[in-house]
Amino acid sequence: MTIVPPTELRPENRRRSKRVKVRIPVVVRFQTADKHSVSEKTHTIIVNDHGALILLAAPVEIQQVVRLENLSSGEELPCLLTSLGPSFMGKTQVAVELVMPTPGFWDKRL
């Protein structure tokens, strides 16, 4: 096996920060197109300094802005939904990107 330093990877294959598989309780809050407030308690699957992969039952769209609260710390940040993954048992995998990368948002130890 050959190990390629990150600086030699093509830009689209580089990670901006380390991914960590961890279940952190969160609340996602947003307004629908018809101005109804939605709040859903869920959890992360994978996190990094730039965002997370979460599960959501509420219908959402790519490029939608939501607020994400880390229930462990009480900290809340705006996020952009960047992609939708597979659905299973009524929940969809949703990738969220923190509007402003915040190292330590998930856990100061990660």
Side-chain angles (χ1 to χ4, degrees):
M1 173 165 65
T2 304
I3 298 176
V4 179
T7 54
E8 293 181 23
L9 289 173
R10 294 187 351 213
E12 64 272 18
N13 291 333
R14 287 187 204 150
R15 296 276 177 236
R16 294 181 291 173
S17 56
K18 180 178 143 186
R19 289 180 171 180
V20 178
K21 185 177 180 181
V22 62
R23 185 180 177 119
I24 298 173
V26 296
V27 173
V28 179
R29 296 182 179 91
F30 62 94
Q31 280 193 337
T32 62
D34 55 358
K35 303 295 182 202
H36 287 102
S37 292
V38 174
S39 178
E40 182 177 333
K41 186 175 179 182
T42 187
H43 61 86
T44 63
I45 299 170
I46 297 171
V47 301
N48 65 26
D49 288 344
H50 294 85
L53 183 64
I54 62 174
L55 293 173
L56 277 181
V60 292
E61 298 178 13
I62 295 174
Q63 297 299 307
Q64 186 172 352
V65 176
V66 301
R67 296 202 56 84
L68 189 68
E69 179 185 356
N70 177 338
L71 291 176
S72 298
S73 68
E75 192 173 358
E76 187 172 329
L77 293 173
C79 297
L80 184 65
L81 303 184
T82 57
S83 68
L84 302 176
S87 294
F88 180 71
M89 294 182 65
K91 293 198 173 198
T92 302
Q93 287 186 2
V94 178
V96 297
E97 183 175 335
L98 302 173
V99 170
M100 204 164 125
T102 307
F105 174 71
W106 302 112
D107 186 334
K108 303 298 182 209
R109 300 168 292 175
L110 297 179

